[in-house]
Amino acid sequence: MSKVRSADGEHPRLPRTRQGSPPSLLLTLLGDYWWGRAEPLPSAALVGLLADFGVSDVAARAALSRMVKHGLLATTRSGRNTFHGLTPRAQEVLSDGAARIFGFGADDGAPWDGRWSVVAFSVPEANRSVREALRTRLRWLGFAPLYDALWVSPHEHHAEALAELVDLGVTAATAFVATAPDLPATMPPQSAWDLDGLAAMYQEFVDAWEPTHAALGRGTIDPVDALVRRTELMDAWRAFPGLDPELPTSLLPADWPRPRARELFLDTYERLGVAASARVREVIARHAPELAEHVVQFPAVTTHTVGDH
């Protein structure tokens, strides 16, 4: 049985960065508070925002350089001041990632038709970079390995999987849709995931973030703390789409913890947003007051409210 593996939660098209690293933090901050804005921000303001996370000036400026190198930020100058803005590529990646992260776990109530997307491929062991990239992209699409080169998903994502294979130059591959008969002495497709381990991770998430949710009800979180916690919350939650295939309810154990974890994430993220965006506005205003008013609070769309516990 495949075990739940750690995931950085990043969009597979992004250059690989460690979760919580300065480039990862910076991209999250820009996605959360500068969504859809074309105006570049002073590099000093971005360095100042990262300082709230304990990132030194040197490390922050190195992160800016790295993101420029990878085509995620564009640099402009005005006099002696340097500005950085999100590139169209970065905007596209952030948009795709937001749709995945905030849509993840939403149950549309539609019954499952029992059909699995199956992808089989062959990549030489020597070509490890392609193998790793392919695994990352397939996991992002909700696949998991039933066997080493046979990946399955309970959703119709075989066309997207084939597109990723083509993009990576993998030609020895096939994809199809199939049903799995319930036969004795066979391995069911859902065994590709360690559901007990995944349930434990959801429970750990709930245990870790319920105190923050409770503190919000008491009004005891200041703007700097709200900014840091909101970013940490996003980092924690965005790992789950790469781990959880959103199996149909009929394949899940009773009392599956994802709905509770999702509600907690959405409500906590939304309620932290007012104070967090105020902090971002304050930092930007020190360097470019005319831009501070454009700070946004990326909304978590939810119709549920987490009850106090």
Side-chain angles (χ1 to χ4, degrees), residues 118-123 134 138 149 161-166 169-176:
V118 183
V119 177
F121 55 86
S122 177
V123 179
L134 180 55
L138 288 177
L162 275 181
E164 297 293 354
L165 287 158
V166 170
V170 178
T171 57
T174 187
F176 51 92

Side-chain angles (χ1 to χ4, degrees), residues 7-285:
D8 57 18
E10 291 181 354
H11 191 286
R13 303 291 185 176
L14 286 173
R16 191 171 183 83
T17 57
R18 178 173 51 84
Q19 182 173 307
S21 66
S24 177
L25 284 172
L26 190 54
L27 195 63
T28 299
L29 289 168
L30 289 169
D32 279 349
Y33 307 103
W34 207 242
W35 178 263
R37 303 303 307 185
E39 302 92 335
L41 288 167
S43 60
L46 298 175
V47 170
L49 286 173
L50 288 176
D52 281 351
F53 297 83
V55 178
S56 69
D57 284 8
V58 172
R61 295 187 184 282
L64 289 170
S65 296
R66 181 180 179 188
M67 294 178 71
V68 170
K69 178 182 178 181
H70 287 292
L72 298 174
L73 291 180
T75 303
T76 57
R77 297 186 185 278
S78 178
R80 299 177 62 182
N81 298 318
T82 303
F83 293 76
H84 289 90
L86 289 166
T87 62
R89 177 196 175 208
Q91 293 277 15
E92 181 181 359
V93 167
L94 286 171
S95 180
D96 290 347
R100 177 73 191 278
I101 291 167
F102 291 102
F104 172 72
D107 185 2
D108 61 8
W112 184 50
D113 61 6
R115 290 153 57 91
W116 294 86
S117 289
V118 183
V119 177
F121 55 86
S122 177
V123 179
E125 182 65 33
N127 203 346
R128 292 188 178 182
S129 62
V130 170
R131 290 169 67 91
E132 186 61 29
L134 180 55
R135 288 169 178 153
T136 298
R137 296 189 188 188
L138 288 177
R139 286 192 182 280
W140 181 260
L141 291 173
F143 285 81
L146 187 59
Y147 302 103
D148 183 52
L150 183 70
W151 289 57
V152 295
S153 168
H155 309 291
E156 291 191 15
H157 293 325
H158 48 282
E160 296 99 314
L162 275 181
E164 297 293 354
L165 287 158
V166 170
D167 186 63
L168 289 170
V170 178
T171 57
T174 187
F176 51 92
V177 176
T179 57
D182 186 11
L183 299 174
T186 60
M187 182 180 292
Q190 61 266 32
S191 65
W193 293 271
D194 177 9
L195 296 182
D196 290 340
L198 188 55
M201 291 180 68
Y202 277 122
Q203 189 58 52
E204 289 172 4
F205 177 90
V206 170
D207 292 344
W209 288 99
E210 278 189 331
T212 294
H213 187 267
L216 282 165
R218 298 190 298 269
T220 56
I221 299 179
D222 64 38
V224 174
D225 196 13
L227 175 63
V228 172
R229 292 200 199 190
R230 195 174 193 238
T231 304
E232 290 175 345
L233 174 64
M234 172 60 75
D235 271 350
W237 179 254
R238 69 180 182 180
F240 285 110
L243 299 171
D244 183 348
E246 297 185 89
L247 289 175
T249 303
S250 59
L251 299 177
L252 291 171
D255 300 321
W256 185 241
R258 183 180 62 223
R260 165 63 184 158
R262 172 180 160 81
E263 288 187 8
L264 179 64
F265 162 67
L266 291 173
D267 196 60
T268 306
Y269 178 86
E270 184 73 18
R271 293 172 64 183
L272 284 168
V274 174
S277 58
R279 174 57 181 170
V280 174
R281 201 171 290 114
E282 177 188 4
V283 173
I284 292 176

